[in-house]
Amino acid sequence: MDLKNAREKLRGSIAPIITPFDEKGEFDQSTFESLINWHIESGSHAISVTGTTGEPSSLTTEEREKVMEAAIKAANGRVPVVPGTGSTNHKETLHLTRLAQEMGADAALVIVPYYNKPSQHALYKHFKTVADSVDIPIIVYNIPGRTAVNMEVKTLARLNEDCPNIIGVKESNKDFEHVNRVLLNCGRDFLLYSGIELLCYPMLAIGGAGSISATANIVPDKVAELHNAWFEGDIKRAQDLHYDLMPLNDVLFKDTNPAPLKAALGMMGKITPKLRMPMELPTEELQSEIRSVLEKYVDLSVKQ
């Protein structure tokens, strides 16, 4: 996908799909393919895999490659595919991003390296090297709550100026002043995506391109509809969906993502609710709360 098309097509609900495991804890490819088909049929505008919700830190590099390839083949050009290719390891990030391009990914989502807490100058060098190594669009993934370092607006603006294929950022950042300044300093055509569920609608209101919201795993149709309503100018409908989704957004983050998601998808009959250690499913008490909230959105008597 060229940069012009990317700016036009990578808008709306980019669903960050979970990585399903079978009872033995191995990648369940057939279930994964079914999830992708369901998302496309439900109206998700694009899909992302091996981002935070896809548990990349629980996967080997070879498994990440397999998930990326399976997603691109299953989507088969019906919607854009944006794999997460970043890690705390620079060489691995380069390898996965180049491989995503070779596989036919439409863009790559590259996380700010976690754990090692690089300086802003080091972040610039890391992302510029990655962007220069490929031709596909790059979306920076800024999630300071997980990485322990925030990409400052001036660093992002510098990358935007120096790297034509860095076209946007997923901001899992609760600092709403920060995200406003992203568009002020990077330009209004820079693609801003919300990674914070309660900010999906507010970010659209300031000129955002869409969201990469974990909640789309549960109700992809509603999350897509919120974006469609906004783009069509039906502000009241978008606001109504924003508030309608809030209880589900809240309960899905009462434990570390994607544990509540996998519990909920298990209740819906979509997956075997399995995580790899050191992650685990929520407590029975929280699972009961998840079920209670989920029943307001999904008919659990009918396996989805």
Side-chain angles (χ1 to χ4, degrees):
M1 183 183 293
D2 62 40
L3 300 183
K4 182 180 179 180
N5 282 337
R7 288 189 171 91
E8 293 174 355
K9 293 184 178 181
L10 292 174
R11 293 179 177 273
S13 174
I14 302 178
I17 299 178
I18 60 104
T19 302
F21 300 127
D22 60 22
E23 289 288 357
K24 296 180 180 179
E26 299 301 317
F27 173 49
D28 186 344
Q29 185 167 336
S30 62
T31 295
F32 182 66
E33 292 168 354
S34 295
L35 288 173
I36 289 173
N37 288 329
W38 177 54
H39 273 276
I40 294 172
E41 292 164 3
S42 299
S44 293
H45 301 102
I47 60 171
S48 181
V49 297
T50 60
T52 301
T53 303
E55 296 175 82
S57 59
S58 295
L59 302 173
T60 65
T61 302
E62 292 74 20
E63 286 175 321
R64 290 184 68 172
E65 294 171 5
K66 186 175 182 180
V67 172
M68 286 163 48
E69 183 177 26
I72 292 166
K73 286 184 176 179
N76 195 28
R78 291 176 290 169
V79 295
V81 179
V82 184
T85 60
S87 83
T88 194
N89 183 295
H90 180 71
K91 286 187 176 181
E92 183 178 67
T93 301
L94 284 171
H95 166 70
L96 289 171
T97 307
R98 288 168 175 158
L99 188 62
Q101 175 170 282
E102 292 172 14
M103 289 178 174
D106 296 282
L109 180 68
V110 183
I111 195 169
V112 169
Y114 40 90
Y115 180 73
N116 44 26
K117 297 179 71 174
S119 68
Q120 293 299 307
H121 182 64
L123 281 178
Y124 172 84
K125 289 174 64 178
H126 170 73
F127 276 95
K128 187 173 190 308
T129 302
V130 173
D132 288 348
S133 74
V134 294
D135 297 319
I136 59 172
I138 299 294
I139 299 169
V140 174
Y141 182 9
N142 189 31
I143 180 168
R146 292 246 190 182
T147 62
V149 62
N150 181 46
M151 178 173 281
E152 295 176 3
V153 172
K154 63 181 180 181
T155 306
L156 189 60
R158 185 182 174 198
L159 285 166
N160 177 49
E161 182 176 347
D162 295 347
C163 307
N165 60 329
I166 292 183
I167 64 167
V169 61
K170 174 185 177 182
E171 284 284 356
S172 293
N173 196 325
K174 293 184 178 180
D175 183 348
F176 204 58
E177 289 188 15
H178 170 98
V179 298
N180 276 268
R181 295 187 187 283
V182 166
L183 291 183
L184 176 66
N185 288 272
C186 294
R188 299 278 292 279
D189 61 343
F190 196 65
L191 301 180
L192 173 67
Y193 304 96
S194 177
I196 299 291
E197 276 58 31
L198 294 189
L199 294 183
C200 290
Y201 172 74
M203 281 203 197
L204 289 173
I206 65 168
S211 69
I212 307 177
S213 164
T215 305
N217 280 273
I218 305 301
V219 283
D221 53 345
K222 283 184 176 290
V223 178
E225 186 185 351
L226 186 156
H227 291 80
N228 290 337
W230 173 260
F231 295 141
E232 292 164 6
D234 191 346
I235 295 175
K236 184 179 186 305
R237 180 61 180 151
Q239 289 175 337
D240 288 346
L241 284 161
H242 168 68
Y243 288 106
D244 179 55
L245 288 168
M246 282 181 66
L248 183 59
N249 291 333
D250 288 344
V251 79
L252 290 177
F253 285 86
K254 288 197 171 184
D255 195 356
T256 304
N257 182 44
L261 272 183
K262 284 197 160 182
L265 285 166
M267 295 170 194
M268 294 166 65
K270 289 288 189 185
I271 66 167
T272 299
K274 187 85 173 177
L275 293 95
R276 287 178 175 173
M277 291 195 297
M279 298 290 287
E280 66 176 4
L281 290 171
T283 63
E284 290 296 328
E285 181 181 6
L286 179 52
Q287 288 196 48
S288 177
E289 184 179 352
I290 292 168
R291 178 179 291 275
S292 178
V293 173
L294 190 59
E295 287 174 337
K296 299 173 184 176
Y297 298 86
V298 178
D299 184 356
L300 297 182
S301 67
V302 178
K303 295 304 180 184
Q304 304 297 305

